[in-house]
PDB file of all heavy atoms in Angstrom:
ATOM      1  N   LEU L  85       1.880  -3.807  11.689  1.00 90.00           N
ATOM      2  CA  LEU L  85       1.098  -5.024  11.489  1.00 90.00           C
ATOM      3  C   LEU L  85       1.902  -6.086  10.740  1.00 90.00           C
ATOM      4  O   LEU L  85       1.825  -7.274  11.061  1.00 90.00           O
ATOM      5  CB  LEU L  85      -0.193  -4.705  10.740  1.00 90.00           C
ATOM      6  CG  LEU L  85      -1.179  -5.837  10.572  1.00 90.00           C
ATOM      7  CD1 LEU L  85      -1.672  -6.320  11.929  1.00 90.00           C
ATOM      8  CD2 LEU L  85      -2.348  -5.399   9.722  1.00 90.00           C
ATOM      9  N   GLY L  86       2.688  -5.687   9.755  1.00 84.00           N
ATOM     10  CA  GLY L  86       3.531  -6.630   9.024  1.00 84.00           C
ATOM     11  C   GLY L  86       4.573  -7.280   9.913  1.00 84.00           C
ATOM     12  O   GLY L  86       4.843  -8.478   9.805  1.00 84.00           O
ATOM     13  N   PHE L  87       5.155  -6.508  10.814  1.00 82.00           N
ATOM     14  CA  PHE L  87       6.134  -7.048  11.756  1.00 82.00           C
ATOM     15  C   PHE L  87       5.484  -8.091  12.658  1.00 82.00           C
ATOM     16  O   PHE L  87       6.013  -9.186  12.858  1.00 82.00           O
ATOM     17  CB  PHE L  87       6.740  -5.910  12.581  1.00 82.00           C
ATOM     18  CG  PHE L  87       7.736  -6.362  13.598  1.00 82.00           C
ATOM     19  CD1 PHE L  87       9.005  -6.742  13.202  1.00 82.00           C
ATOM     20  CD2 PHE L  87       7.405  -6.412  14.936  1.00 82.00           C
ATOM     21  CE1 PHE L  87       9.930  -7.170  14.137  1.00 82.00           C
ATOM     22  CE2 PHE L  87       8.325  -6.839  15.877  1.00 82.00           C
ATOM     23  CZ  PHE L  87       9.595  -7.222  15.477  1.00 82.00           C
ATOM     24  N   ILE L  88       4.309  -7.769  13.181  1.00 87.00           N
ATOM     25  CA  ILE L  88       3.603  -8.696  14.077  1.00 87.00           C
ATOM     26  C   ILE L  88       3.161  -9.953  13.327  1.00 87.00           C
ATOM     27  O   ILE L  88       3.369 -11.080  13.794  1.00 87.00           O
ATOM     28  CB  ILE L  88       2.397  -7.988  14.734  1.00 87.00           C
ATOM     29  CG1 ILE L  88       2.896  -6.905  15.696  1.00 87.00           C
ATOM     30  CG2 ILE L  88       1.508  -8.987  15.467  1.00 87.00           C
ATOM     31  CD1 ILE L  88       1.801  -5.974  16.180  1.00 87.00           C
ATOM     32  N   MET L  89       2.555  -9.753  12.151  1.00 86.00           N
ATOM     33  CA  MET L  89       2.067 -10.906  11.386  1.00 86.00           C
ATOM     34  C   MET L  89       3.218 -11.774  10.866  1.00 86.00           C
ATOM     35  O   MET L  89       3.099 -13.003  10.812  1.00 86.00           O
ATOM     36  CB  MET L  89       1.204 -10.442  10.213  1.00 86.00           C
ATOM     37  CG  MET L  89      -0.099  -9.801  10.631  1.00 86.00           C
ATOM     38  SD  MET L  89      -1.140 -10.877  11.611  1.00 86.00           S
ATOM     39  CE  MET L  89      -1.494 -12.157  10.437  1.00 86.00           C
ATOM     40  N   GLY L  90       4.330 -11.161  10.507  1.00 81.00           N
ATOM     41  CA  GLY L  90       5.495 -11.931  10.067  1.00 81.00           C
ATOM     42  C   GLY L  90       6.047 -12.804  11.178  1.00 81.00           C
ATOM     43  O   GLY L  90       6.355 -13.984  10.972  1.00 81.00           O
ATOM     44  N   ALA L  91       6.150 -12.224  12.377  1.00 80.00           N
ATOM     45  CA  ALA L  91       6.647 -12.998  13.517  1.00 80.00           C
ATOM     46  C   ALA L  91       5.689 -14.139  13.854  1.00 80.00           C
ATOM     47  O   ALA L  91       6.114 -15.265  14.138  1.00 80.00           O
ATOM     48  CB  ALA L  91       6.834 -12.086  14.727  1.00 80.00           C
ATOM     49  N   GLU L  92       4.395 -13.867  13.796  1.00 83.00           N
ATOM     50  CA  GLU L  92       3.412 -14.922  14.083  1.00 83.00           C
ATOM     51  C   GLU L  92       3.420 -16.006  13.021  1.00 83.00           C
ATOM     52  O   GLU L  92       3.264 -17.193  13.328  1.00 83.00           O
ATOM     53  CB  GLU L  92       2.009 -14.322  14.219  1.00 83.00           C
ATOM     54  CG  GLU L  92       1.790 -13.563  15.504  1.00 83.00           C
ATOM     55  CD  GLU L  92       1.975 -14.429  16.748  1.00 83.00           C
ATOM     56  OE1 GLU L  92       1.463 -15.569  16.769  1.00 83.00           O
ATOM     57  OE2 GLU L  92       2.654 -13.971  17.680  1.00 83.00           O
ATOM     58  N   SER L  93       3.586 -15.624  11.766  1.00 80.00           N
ATOM     59  CA  SER L  93       3.639 -16.612  10.676  1.00 80.00           C
ATOM     60  C   SER L  93       4.841 -17.530  10.835  1.00 80.00           C
ATOM     61  O   SER L  93       4.726 -18.750  10.684  1.00 80.00           O
ATOM     62  CB  SER L  93       3.706 -15.924   9.318  1.00 80.00           C
ATOM     63  OG  SER L  93       2.562 -15.161   9.093  1.00 80.00           O
ATOM     64  N   ILE L  94       5.994 -16.948  11.114  1.00 78.00           N
ATOM     65  CA  ILE L  94       7.204 -17.750  11.311  1.00 78.00           C
ATOM     66  C   ILE L  94       7.034 -18.663  12.514  1.00 78.00           C
ATOM     67  O   ILE L  94       7.387 -19.843  12.472  1.00 78.00           O
ATOM     68  CB  ILE L  94       8.448 -16.842  11.479  1.00 78.00           C
ATOM     69  CG1 ILE L  94       8.736 -16.085  10.195  1.00 78.00           C
ATOM     70  CG2 ILE L  94       9.658 -17.645  11.912  1.00 78.00           C
ATOM     71  CD1 ILE L  94       9.098 -16.957   9.020  1.00 78.00           C
TER      72      ILE L  94
END
Side-chain angles (χ1 to χ4, degrees):
L85 186 62
F87 179 75
I88 292 169
M89 293 301 296
E92 286 300 315
S93 298
I94 294 296

